[in-house]
């Protein structure tokens, strides 16, 4: 394949592109316009399933790269044009990956406003209004109130990295699903779905720090499905505003990473420093949620400075989780499961 720097930064991973293409194939879509095709990762996946593809790209260099990348597929054609100006006659499906970055001499910069994307979200909605099967890849940080009504929103994470939220309309939207978290990892794929709109659905109980701490996958958090995972685990939140779950028992789940809780103490730098010294800790992994504390700065405060001092301190490793429970800041000493 040929790449450009900006194109590679936004290109769809092939494991995810394959799932995009599968949606259109299962819906019986025979011709898809890939509007804003970039380097053609999604077009490659679509064409490999014998779907006819019209790949449209406005940037001339990127369109040239896409042309080379699609050479093996006679059922794929690249058009160098503005995605909003191409005729869709005879095309029953549309996939879009709007440009969410602007390129300058200093590099690329991310855009956050969906109406500033190229093409904008309103253009996507107008295509969906025509009745065609429409899917669009958006940044995973998309606010819930920006997600259009009448679509399915699926957040996707790959090996713990949240890569996108895909919005699906009409024939490629699954019945009864409003939001979903798809987790792709070494153990395969797992998905959590909800028919409830954002802000609705079950509420998780609150409870103490005990047993095992669960850190939900980023896709679960983005999709607003933390409470659903807590209930699956027989667990509870430690604070209603923070995505940390505790449960008395260890339960295997693809939707959260588990830690055994060894100790809980109030957040106090002086006391923590004494604890680190007494335990002979030389390496600290620090996680945090719901607090402004910076792990890097805290690590500098807790561990002795200089190579000689660090060597003397020992080589034991500890994992600390900093969070807030109500108004109180706490530190959990945990062990990854």
């Amino acid at each position: 394949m040929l790449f450009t720097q900006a194109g590679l930064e936004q290109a769809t991973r092939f494991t995810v592109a394959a799932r995009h293409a599968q949606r259109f194939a299962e819906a019986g879509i025979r011709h898809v316009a890939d509007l804003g095709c970039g380097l053609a990762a999604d077009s490659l996946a679509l064409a490999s399933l014998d779907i006819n593809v019209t790949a449209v790209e406005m940037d001339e260099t990127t369109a040239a790269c896409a042309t080379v990348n699609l050479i093996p597929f006679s059922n794929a054609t690249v058009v160098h044009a503005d995605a909003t100006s191409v005729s869709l006659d005879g095309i029953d499906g549309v996939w879009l990956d709007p440009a969410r970055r602007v390129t300058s001499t200093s590099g690329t910069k991310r855009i956050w406003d969906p109406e500033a994307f190229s093409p904008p979200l309103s253009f996507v909605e107008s295509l969906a209004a025509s009745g065609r099967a429409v899917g669009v890849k958006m940044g995973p940080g998309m606010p819930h109130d920006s997600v259009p009504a009448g679509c399915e929103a699926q957040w996707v994470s790959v090996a713990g990295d949240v890569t996108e939220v895909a919005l699906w309309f009409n024939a490629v939207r699954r019945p009864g699903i409003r939001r979903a978290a798809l987790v792709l990892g070494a153990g395969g794929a797992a998905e959590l779905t909800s028919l409830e709109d954002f802000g609705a659905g079950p509420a998780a109980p609150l409870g103490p720090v005990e047993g095992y701490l669960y850190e939900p996958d980023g896709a679960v958090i983005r999709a607003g499905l933390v409470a659903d995972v807590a209930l699956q685990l027989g667990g509870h939140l430690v604070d209603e505003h923070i995505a940390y779950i505790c449960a008395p028992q260890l339960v295997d789940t693809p939707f959260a990473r588990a830690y055994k809780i060894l100790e809980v103490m109030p957040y106090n730098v002086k006391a923590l420093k004494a604890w680190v010294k007494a335990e002979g800790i030389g390496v600290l992994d620090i996680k945090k949620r719901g607090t402004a504390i910076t792990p890097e700065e805290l690590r500098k405060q807790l561990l002795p400075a200089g190579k000689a001092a660090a060597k003397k301190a020992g080589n034991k490793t500890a994992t600390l989780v900093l969070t807030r429970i109500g108004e109180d800041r706490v530190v959990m000493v945990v062990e990854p499961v």
Side-chain angles (χ1 to χ4, degrees), residues 98-101 111-121 137-139:
R100 300 183 297 279
R101 292 176 181 267
I111 304 170
W112 298 103
D113 179 10
E115 281 307 298
F117 296 167
S118 180
L121 182 57
K137 172 184 170 182
M138 307 294 280

Side-chain angles (χ1 to χ4, degrees), residues 34-123:
D34 184 357
L35 303 183
C37 69
L39 296 171
D42 280 294
S43 290
L44 281 165
L46 289 160
S48 71
L49 293 183
D50 295 328
I51 296 172
N52 294 322
V53 180
T54 299
V56 182
E57 175 55 49
M58 184 165 58
D59 179 74
E60 185 176 15
T61 301
T62 307
C65 290
T67 301
V68 174
N69 294 339
L70 287 169
I71 282 175
F73 297 97
S74 60
N75 55 326
T77 304
V78 176
V79 178
H80 173 219
D82 184 337
T84 61
S85 65
V86 174
S87 171
L88 298 178
D89 291 343
I91 293 175
D92 52 349
V94 180
W95 171 254
L96 303 97
D97 185 355
R100 300 183 297 279
R101 292 176 181 267
V102 291
T103 304
S104 65
T105 54
S106 58
T108 61
K109 182 180 179 181
R110 189 177 295 276
I111 304 170
W112 298 103
D113 179 10
E115 281 307 298
F117 296 167
S118 180
L121 182 57
S122 56
F123 175 72

Side-chain angles (χ1 to χ4, degrees), residues 173 175-180 193-198 200-201 225 228:
R173 178 190 180 182
I177 297 178
R178 172 57 168 157
R179 50 198 167 101
T193 65
S194 174
L195 56 80
E196 304 280 358
D197 207 348
F198 300 99
L225 295 169
D228 301 69

Side-chain angles (χ1 to χ4, degrees), residues 203-229:
L206 295 177
V209 175
E210 63 174 356
Y212 292 87
L213 177 74
Y214 293 85
E215 182 181 30
D217 184 90
V220 170
I221 296 172
R222 296 288 190 182
L225 295 169
V226 173
D228 301 69
V229 173

Side-chain angles (χ1 to χ4, degrees), residues 98-305:
R100 300 183 297 279
R101 292 176 181 267
V102 291
T103 304
S104 65
T105 54
S106 58
T108 61
K109 182 180 179 181
R110 189 177 295 276
I111 304 170
W112 298 103
D113 179 10
E115 281 307 298
F117 296 167
S118 180
L121 182 57
S122 56
F123 175 72
V124 177
E125 292 182 88
S126 69
L127 291 176
S130 72
R132 288 185 178 86
V134 174
V136 57
K137 172 184 170 182
M138 307 294 280
M142 184 179 194
H144 291 169
D145 57 9
S146 295
V147 177
C151 75
E152 172 195 337
Q154 183 190 53
W155 275 264
V156 181
S157 73
V158 181
D161 180 22
V162 189
T163 61
E164 67 176 51
V165 55
L167 309 181
W168 300 100
F169 299 82
N170 302 325
V172 282
R173 178 190 180 182
R174 294 174 294 180
I177 297 178
R178 172 57 168 157
R179 50 198 167 101
L182 175 63
V183 177
L184 305 177
E191 189 177 30
L192 193 62
T193 65
S194 174
L195 56 80
E196 304 280 358
D197 207 348
F198 300 99
L206 295 177
V209 175
E210 63 174 356
Y212 292 87
L213 177 74
Y214 293 85
E215 182 181 30
D217 184 90
V220 170
I221 296 172
R222 296 288 190 182
L225 295 169
V226 173
D228 301 69
V229 173
L231 295 174
Q232 280 189 3
L233 297 172
H236 52 263
L237 300 179
V238 296
D239 183 283
E240 62 180 329
H241 302 295
I242 297 174
Y244 278 140
I245 300 167
C246 273
Q249 303 296 327
L250 178 63
V251 181
D252 187 27
T253 174
F255 302 117
R257 187 176 182 189
Y259 301 84
K260 184 178 182 181
I261 299 172
L262 305 177
E263 189 176 348
V264 184
M265 61 185 88
Y267 176 75
N268 180 285
V269 174
K270 187 175 180 180
L272 278 174
K273 190 170 184 178
W275 178 85
V276 167
K277 183 177 180 181
E279 294 292 325
I281 305 298
V283 180
L284 272 177
D285 181 18
I286 301 176
K287 296 178 169 290
K288 66 115 178 186
R289 188 163 287 163
T291 174
I293 300 163
T294 304
E296 292 76 15
E297 288 300 317
L298 181 60
R299 189 178 291 108
K300 290 178 182 178
Q301 292 177 285
L302 300 183
L303 293 177

